[in-house]
Amino acid sequence: MAKRRILIVEDEPGLRLTLSDRLLSEGYEVDTESDGASGLAKASDGAFDALILDVMLPGMSGFEVCRRLRERGHQVPALMLSARDQVVDKVAGLQFGADDYMAKPFEFAELSARIQALLRRALPGASSVPFRFGPVEVDFRRTTVSRDGQEVPLSAREFDLLRYLVENRGETLTRDRLLTQVWGYHGSTATRTLDVHIGWLRQKVDDPKNPAYIVTVRGLGYKFNA
C-alpha cells in the first residue's frame, strides 16, 4: 500500500522539524515549506493526502492558502494550526475551507489522531459504496444515513462514530481508542460523551433496548456486528 503524503507549511523551524520527524516515524511521506506562497505552490502541484497549515505564515496566511486551494478545486483535507485558541479563528478557518483546527501547544498524539480521522474521511474505495446492515443504509461519500428508506439525521460526530465502528466492524474497540480516534482525546479520559453518543446512535440505527449491531463488550468497550 502506498504511503500517505502530508505537506507541512510551518514557519517555525523547530516545530516544522519535529512534526516532520514524528510523521515520518509513523510511516507517512512528508514534505515541508516555511511560507504561504511556497506552500500554496507545492500543494497545488503535488498529490498530497493531507495538509498541515500554520495560520500565521510569512507573506500569505494559512487561511489564504486554504481559500485559494479551494477556489482552484483542490479538496485535500487541511488541518490548521494557530497559537491562538479563539473561536473567531476557528470559525474563519472553517469558512476558508479548513477541515480541522488545533491551537498550539498541542500533544502530538492528538494531532496524529486528527490526521488519521481526516484521512479516513477522505478515503475512496469502500467508503464510497453504500454500506447496509438490516434496514439501514450508510452512504459514506454523501454522508447520509437512511432507515427503511427514510433519511436519518445524524450530527457530524455521530456520523464519524458510526463510520469508525463500521470500518472496524467485528473488532472490540476500547473506550480510550474510540475517544482518541473519533474525538481526538488522548490518555484516560473520564467522560460520558462516548456513552451518550452510542445511545443516540442506537436510537437512530439500532434497537436501544436490545441492540443487534452496536453492542457493548462488558468491561472493554463496544463492537459493531454486521
Side-chain angles (χ1 to χ4, degrees):
M1 181 177 179
K3 290 184 178 181
R4 314 305 295 278
R5 296 187 66 207
I6 296 178
L7 173 63
I8 301 170
V9 188
E10 166 62 58
D11 64 324
E12 185 182 335
L15 179 57
R16 188 170 65 247
L17 179 60
T18 298
L19 289 178
S20 178
D21 287 347
R22 295 292 295 273
L23 290 170
L24 283 168
S25 71
E26 291 202 347
Y28 298 104
E29 287 188 6
V30 181
D31 282 16
T32 65
E33 291 294 344
S34 59
D35 64 85
S38 299
L40 175 62
K42 182 162 284 187
S44 298
D45 295 337
F48 293 98
D49 297 293
L51 307 178
I52 299 176
L53 297 173
D54 188 27
V55 170
M56 302 299 293
L57 292 169
M60 181 188 301
S61 73
F63 290 150
E64 182 66 11
V65 172
C66 192
R67 184 185 70 80
R68 294 194 186 189
L69 284 171
R70 298 304 186 237
E71 285 181 346
R72 297 175 184 181
H74 295 281
Q75 298 303 317
V76 55
L79 171 67
M80 308 295 297
L81 301 179
S82 174
R84 300 188 300 176
D85 188 15
Q86 300 291 329
V87 172
V88 64
D89 286 340
K90 296 179 182 179
V91 172
L94 296 174
Q95 288 177 335
F96 281 118
D99 299 276
D100 204 352
Y101 182 104
M102 287 189 69
K104 303 175 184 177
F106 52 81
E107 293 289 338
F108 179 79
E110 180 179 357
L111 176 74
S112 177
R114 292 190 183 216
I115 291 172
Q116 291 174 37
L118 289 179
L119 292 173
R120 283 198 307 274
R121 289 199 290 269
L123 275 175
S127 292
S128 66
V129 178
F131 177 81
R132 296 177 177 84
F133 58 98
V136 177
E137 179 177 290
V138 185
D139 190 325
F140 291 109
R141 181 176 55 84
R142 298 173 57 203
T143 63
T144 59
V145 178
S146 61
R147 183 171 185 170
D148 292 320
Q150 300 296 313
E151 185 168 350
V152 178
L154 263 63
S155 69
R157 192 68 75 183
E158 288 170 346
F159 191 86
D160 283 348
L161 176 58
L162 179 59
R163 181 200 297 271
Y164 194 76
L165 289 167
V166 169
E167 288 178 343
N168 296 277
R169 53 191 176 275
E171 182 179 355
T172 297
L173 304 172
T174 65
R175 293 174 52 82
D176 285 349
R177 178 174 169 184
L178 287 166
L179 287 169
T180 297
Q181 298 298 328
V182 180
W183 276 266
Y185 294 164
H186 178 58
S188 182
T189 305
T191 175
R192 294 285 297 169
T193 297
L194 173 59
D195 306 296
V196 170
H197 279 76
I198 288 288
W200 288 341
L201 268 185
R202 282 173 171 166
Q203 293 227 5
K204 295 177 179 181
V205 301
D206 205 342
D207 181 349
K209 294 183 178 179
N210 187 28
Y213 303 106
I214 305 173
V215 300
T216 301
V217 181
R218 192 172 300 278
L220 293 175
Y222 296 97
K223 179 192 293 187
F224 187 89
N225 286 330

